[in-house]
């Protein structure tokens, strides 16, 4: 019997929801939850039983009420990703719906999107999710007639050499739950200027890539102190990090720092003086 047969049956139907969370590049960064009573295998993923409940899925055709809330245990692994600071990588969610006793294992995707944030209420963690269709709400063309370069640094339009702008360093003082990170690295005057707006990146023991934007930097001898856009988690002394240069999105930085002038996206020769004005050279 197919999914439709179980769905329309009054006695045979036994609805089952499968929740697939993906938050990293490897198979170990996938977690499956189900609201059933037993572990359920589907497409190579083991969905373990958890007290999880989703809200109603809105299919009105508009995006104003398309968000989805999922309630789970407050100690859920997905909720822990948002405990101190949201993860740098998106947490994708796919919800499958089917029936427990369906021999064909026909589970259909009824919702897909990502987890935006988590809030805790008593013994529950509430995952606030948005559907993939909300990507249509993102702004479109950003480029204007402007002097500064509008391209995203190291993005597909910029294509600056990120590897050449990256330097390896180690943590000088252990940090956990703070926004200041001290690393063993000697910065010259150029580095002090260009690291503002850059990033500090590292790989967690679980294999996840974390990144924080540098808001300010100060160097004393061979120790540099970075003020980051978000707090860091469990950074022991000697932990390896990568320092990635920023860019002022101007012609000088594009040429001298990144050697990327052919891909500069701004219009640096815009005249700064209006040629059509009240000024006359004869008076």
């Amino acid at each position: 019997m197919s999914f439709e047969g179980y769905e329309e049956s009054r006695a045979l139907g036994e609805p089952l929801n499968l929740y697939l969370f993906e938050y990293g590049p490897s198979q170990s960064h996938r977690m499956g939850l189900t609201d059933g009573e037993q572990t359920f295998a589907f497409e190579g993923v083991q969905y373990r039983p958890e007290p999880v409940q989703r809200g109603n899925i809105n299919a009105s055709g508009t995006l104003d009420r398309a968000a989805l809330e999922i309630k789970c245990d407050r100690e859920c692994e997905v909720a822990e990703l948002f405990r101190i600071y949201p993860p740098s990588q998106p947490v994708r969610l796919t919800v499958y719906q089917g029936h427990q006793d369906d021999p064909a294992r026909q589970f259909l995707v009824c919702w897909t999107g990502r987890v935006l944030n988590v809030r805790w209420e008593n013994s529950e963690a509430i995952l606030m999710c948005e559907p993939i269709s909300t990507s249509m709400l993102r702004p479109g063309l950003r480029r204007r007639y402007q002097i500064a370069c509008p391209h995203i640094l190291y993005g597909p339009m910029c294509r600056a050499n990120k590897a050449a702008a990256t330097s390896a360093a180690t943590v000088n003082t252990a940090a956990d739950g703070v926004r200041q990170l001290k690393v063993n690295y000697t910065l010259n005057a150029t580095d002090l200027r260009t690291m503002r707006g850059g990033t500090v990146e590292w790989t967690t023991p679980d294999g996840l890539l974390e990144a924080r934007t540098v808001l300010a930097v100060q160097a004393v001898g061979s120790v540099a102190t970075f003020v980051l856009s978000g707090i860091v988690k469990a950074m022991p002394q000697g932990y390896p990090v990568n320092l990635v240069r920023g860019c002022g999105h101007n012609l000088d930085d594009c040429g001298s720092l990144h050697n990327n002038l052919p891909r500069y996206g701004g219009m640096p020769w815009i005249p700064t003086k209006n040629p059509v004005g009240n000024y006359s050279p004869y008076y």
Side-chain angles (χ1 to χ4, degrees):
M1 186 180 294
S2 65
F3 170 84
E4 184 178 358
Y6 279 95
E7 192 75 7
E8 295 177 352
S9 173
R10 287 188 175 185
L12 297 178
E14 191 175 353
L16 186 67
N17 290 290
L18 305 179
Y19 303 86
L20 177 62
F21 297 92
E22 300 174 281
Y23 50 91
S26 68
Q27 295 292 330
S28 61
H29 302 138
R30 303 173 69 187
M31 185 179 67
L33 302 179
T34 178
D35 54 6
E37 298 179 355
Q38 299 176 0
T39 301
F40 192 86
F42 179 68
E43 294 186 347
V45 178
Q46 296 291 328
Y47 292 83
R48 68 174 186 264
E50 289 279 350
V52 55
Q53 180 184 14
R54 64 171 173 83
N56 295 327
I57 296 177
N58 188 295
S60 63
T62 62
L63 300 178
D64 54 348
R65 294 185 299 169
L68 180 68
E69 286 191 355
I70 296 178
K71 297 180 180 180
C72 59
D73 185 76
R74 65 178 297 111
E75 303 298 333
C76 178
E77 182 180 342
V78 176
E80 289 297 321
L81 294 174
F82 294 82
R83 176 72 70 174
I84 300 178
Y85 190 78
S88 299
Q89 306 297 324
V91 180
R92 300 182 299 275
L93 168 62
T94 304
V95 181
Y96 298 91
Q97 188 173 15
H99 292 268
Q100 177 79 38
D101 296 330
D102 185 2
R105 295 293 180 98
Q106 189 177 8
F107 281 77
L108 307 181
V109 175
C110 65
W111 194 91
T112 181
R114 62 173 182 164
V115 181
L116 287 181
N117 209 341
V118 177
R119 73 175 188 267
W120 284 264
E121 293 183 0
N122 300 323
S123 62
E124 293 181 335
I126 301 177
L127 313 181
M128 291 167 283
C129 314
E130 70 169 10
I132 194 172
S133 56
T134 55
S135 60
M136 293 186 293
L137 296 176
R138 297 173 184 170
L141 186 64
R142 300 179 300 108
R143 194 168 186 176
R144 297 179 175 88
Y145 187 54
Q146 61 187 59
I147 296 177
C149 178
H151 296 332
I152 299 174
L153 183 59
Y154 309 118
M157 298 298 293
C158 171
R159 288 185 288 171
N161 191 345
K162 185 176 180 179
T166 302
S167 303
T170 58
V171 175
N172 175 270
T173 305
D176 190 8
V178 296
R179 294 179 57 185
Q180 288 193 356
L181 186 66
K182 294 184 177 181
V183 301
N184 298 316
Y185 192 78
T186 302
L187 297 173
N188 54 37
T190 301
D191 292 332
L192 283 172
R193 178 178 65 86
T194 59
M195 278 307 302
R196 287 192 294 270
T199 57
V200 176
E201 301 179 354
W202 67 93
T203 303
T204 66
D206 296 333
L208 296 176
L209 177 64
E210 291 285 342
R212 302 288 186 273
T213 302
V214 178
L215 302 180
V217 58
Q218 182 180 8
V220 179
S222 60
V223 178
T225 302
F226 293 91
V227 179
L228 307 178
S229 59
I231 60 179
V232 298
K233 306 176 186 178
M235 296 285 285
Q237 185 177 3
Y239 199 84
V241 296
N242 289 324
L243 310 179
V244 184
R245 281 183 173 179
C247 182
H249 293 273
N250 54 52
L251 203 63
D252 292 338
D253 285 1
C254 187
S256 61
L257 296 180
H258 301 285
N259 193 24
N260 198 39
L261 281 178
R263 300 187 183 93
Y264 185 75
M267 294 78 173
W269 314 123
I270 296 176
T272 57
K273 184 177 181 180
N274 188 357
V276 183
N278 296 325
Y279 172 77
S280 174
Y282 302 103
Y283 296 96

